[in-house]
């Protein structure tokens, strides 16, 4: 059995707005990334630079269903499915699922736990941004802790 990272959150914004936040660099860099080489479009790639120093990935939009589903693919065959469920109350349920891999079963489980935490923070930061107009700095602050942990190991 492959462990799966799973995070979901209710965002008080229409699905179209939440969906578009994942595609446009000016929004992505407010809640998830430090830099993106361009917007995502079906079948196209962009280089994503994360807030953790040295964390860079070529990101491809593998599949897209307007305002309801995105499948993101990173080098190394990692994918994440992001779904957007527009609710009758005008809010959107956002869910991210990603299969975790590792050299051992224990490593795969640890990676699933770490990815779940990461996606949860990304969604929380997006929620704050879309509901208040300002980033909560959640992802950036976690990146500081990760960088400090990496430096301590060296």
């Amino acid at each position: 059995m492959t462990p799966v990272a799973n995070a979901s959150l209710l965002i008080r914004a229409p699905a179209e707005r939440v969906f578009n936040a994942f595609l446009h660099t000016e929004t992505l860099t407010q809640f998830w990334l430090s830099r993106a080489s361009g917007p995502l479009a079906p079948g196209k790639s962009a280089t994503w630079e994360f807030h953790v120093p040295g964390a860079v990935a070529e990101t491809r939009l593998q599949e897209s269903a307007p305002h309801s589903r995105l499948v993101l693919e990173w080098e190394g065959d990692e994918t994440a499915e992001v779904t957007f469920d527009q609710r009758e109350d005008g809010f959107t349920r956002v869910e991210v699922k990603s299969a975790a891999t590792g050299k051992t079963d224990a490593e795969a489980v640890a990676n699933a736990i770490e990815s779940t935490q990461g996606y949860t923070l990304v969604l929380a930061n997006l929620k704050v941004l879309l509901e208040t107009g300002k980033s909560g700095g959640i992802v950036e602050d976690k990146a500081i802790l990760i960088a400090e942990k990496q430096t301590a190991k060296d």
Side-chain angles (χ1 to χ4, degrees):
M1 182 171 119
T2 302
V4 175
N6 189 325
S8 62
L9 200 59
L10 189 65
I11 298 179
R12 297 169 183 257
E16 178 179 7
R17 186 167 174 226
V18 180
F19 178 91
N20 287 334
F22 281 86
L23 300 179
H24 301 293
T25 56
E26 62 275 359
T27 311
L28 274 168
T29 55
Q30 292 181 61
F31 76 93
W32 194 357
L33 309 173
S34 62
R35 186 180 166 292
S37 65
L40 289 178
K44 302 272 183 178
S45 294
T47 303
W48 281 11
E49 294 180 23
F50 298 87
H51 289 285
V52 175
V56 178
E58 194 65 24
T59 306
R60 181 176 168 270
L61 182 55
Q62 189 179 67
E63 294 178 38
S64 175
H67 313 146
S68 64
R69 183 172 179 263
L70 296 169
V71 178
L72 305 174
E73 178 182 49
W74 289 278
E75 48 203 354
D77 295 329
E78 181 184 345
T79 61
E81 178 184 34
V82 186
T83 56
F84 307 84
D85 179 28
Q86 178 70 59
R87 296 165 32 113
E88 288 184 21
D89 56 12
F91 303 163
T92 302
R93 181 182 187 277
V94 184
E95 182 174 28
V96 181
K97 290 182 183 178
S98 179
T101 59
K103 293 178 183 171
T104 65
D105 288 346
E107 186 178 281
V109 169
N111 289 341
I113 292 167
E114 186 177 319
S115 291
T116 297
Q117 180 186 47
Y119 288 129
T120 300
L121 296 176
V122 166
L123 293 180
N125 210 31
L126 176 60
K127 176 182 179 68
V128 171
L129 175 66
L130 295 181
E131 293 181 12
T132 70
K134 291 178 65 176
S135 170
I138 298 165
V139 173
E140 294 92 331
D141 292 347
K142 180 62 178 180
I144 291 168
L145 295 177
I146 292 169
E148 288 174 351
K149 185 177 179 180
Q150 289 173 343
T151 301
K153 284 182 180 179
D154 297 339

